[in-house]
Structures are given as C-alpha cells and as structure tokens.
Amino acid sequence: MSKGPGLFADIGKKAKDLLTRDYNTDQKFSISTYSSSGVALTSTALKKGGVHAADVTSQYKYKNAVFDVKIDTDSTILTTVTFTEILPSTKAIASFKVPDNSSGKLEVQYFHDHATVTAAAALKQNPLIDITATLGTPVISFGAEAGYDTSSKTFTKYNAGISVTKPDACASIILGDKGDSIKASYLHHLDESKRSAAVGEVYRKFSTNENTITVGGLYAIDHTTTVKAKLNNNGKLGALLQHEVVPKSLVTVSSEIDTKALDKHPRFGLSLVLKP
C-alpha cells in the first residue's frame, strides 16, 4: 500500500488511543497460540460486572488473504475475510455473522499517495452505505465521511476532519454528529525516543452546550513497564500500569476514581494477555 494520508478513521486516533486504549474496569484474560500450519488461535474470557463472556478467535493467512473466525458464548460466529492487492493499492474486507443472515458487509479501501477512499455497504436489499475520503499527505490531511440509509433515503451521518502530524506531535479537529459537535486534540512526545507523551482533548456538543476537557499522559519507566493517567473536567481520574512479563505478553492494571465523589469505591480492572 502507498504511504498516503491514511484513513479518515486515523484522524485523531493517536490522541484517542492514548486517552482510551487499555483503560478498563473489567477482568479480562486472553491467551494466543500458533500452530505449525500458520493458524493463530486466541481464547478470551471477560468478566464485566456480574456478566461473564468468552470467545475463541482463529486467524489463517494464505497468500494475499487473511481469514478471521470468532465464536462467542452466544453461539454467534463472525467471519471476516481480508484481501490485499487484488487490484493495485486496494484492500477488500468481507464479513458476515451467523445466524444473523442480514449482517453481511463488504468494504473496499483504495490507497493513493495523496488520497484514500473507502466504501462499505451492508449486503441486503436496502443497505446502509458508508463512504469516506481523505486527501493530503502523511503530514497534513483533510477528510470527510458520510453514511446513507437507502431504505429511508436519509443520511445517517456526515463528519469532517483535519489532521497535522509531525515526528514529535500531532493535532486534529473533527466536526462530528452531523455538525452538532467538535473535537480538538493535541498529542506531544516529550522526548525523541517517544517514551513519554502528553495529550489534551476538548469536546463540545452544541445542542446541549456540553463541554468536556480531558488531559492525559504516558511515561515508559523502562522498556517493559508503562504508566498512563488521564483526568477530565468532570472529575474522572483514570490510571493504569502495564508491564510486559515476557515479549508480547502483557499484564495491565487500571483504575478509575470520581474525584467529586470520593465516598464511592474506585473501580479497578485487570487484563492479562499471553502470546508466544
């Protein structure tokens, strides 16, 4: 694939990941194994509140195709097939869920040095159609997305964004919710090795005059241990400690505290991911 502006979903993604990725208040255990034939198996168990769930995911790569099959405790089977380079700089993703016969979806992504276009449609009589387009370079990009419901003949969404990315920082502005909200974020790496970073995000919803300001940071204590923290203007404080026990195997402990209601017990989460 060419090194172009990236997907519309990549706008603001680095800041979002620093503020949300690996934060959780649940208990999760995941283990992966790989067979000699090239099949990867991942088993996951999750406890969320008083609800337990589990799933098994398998992945097989053959030439320019990747097959993913996920089976959960509700007896739902999700199959995703990804084809790369069927046409130059093009990726196709087909997915369907059993027993939901109306869940089929096909997405095509086209990558160019100065543009990226995606189109996705549900495989049914009156499909939902999603289209995104991004123009620019890896440094600066402009993008937009739209969703259209062919059954009701209405737009389900239309959003736009801009992103500026440099080696030590990235900034983005996204106009979302059909123009009813705006989100601006900025991430800055504090050292050349990117072992520490600071991030800020401002979100405003015009219809409700709601404003949310979130700041956060990351610091790598060493090559195996990382700490993260975040705080918003509503008083929600989150923190996590992530340690690489062995290469690719991570244990993550996270917590969330409402600083405006210190009489409430903090919420804790534990995640253990084991990979060979």
Side-chain angles (χ1 to χ4, degrees), residues 50-71:
V51 179
H52 294 77
D55 62 67
V56 177
T57 302
S58 64
Q59 183 182 86
Y60 178 67
K61 298 180 180 180
Y62 179 75
K63 294 184 178 180
N64 65 336
V66 179
F67 302 86
D68 292 278
V69 179
K70 180 178 179 181
I71 305 173

Side-chain angles (χ1 to χ4, degrees), residues 11 23 32 43 51 58 61 83 92 96 104 119 126 128 139 160 211 248-249 266:
I11 297 179
Y23 284 99
S32 298
S43 301
V51 179
S58 64
K61 298 180 180 180
F83 299 96
F96 58 91
N126 297 307
L128 294 171
V139 176
N211 296 291
K248 299 182 182 180
S249 295

Side-chain angles (χ1 to χ4, degrees), residues 159-208:
N159 308 313
I162 179 174
S163 175
V164 178
T165 303
K166 294 185 176 181
D168 62 344
C170 59
S172 67
I173 298 176
I174 299 175
L175 186 65
D177 299 318
K178 298 181 180 180
D180 188 43
S181 69
I182 188 169
K183 180 190 294 184
S185 62
Y186 177 75
L187 182 150
H188 187 83
H189 294 285
L190 304 178
D191 59 345
E192 292 183 358
S193 60
K194 298 184 179 181
R195 293 170 54 88
S196 59
V199 63
E201 180 185 272
V202 178
Y203 172 83
R204 176 172 175 79
K205 192 170 182 65
F206 299 110
S207 61
T208 60

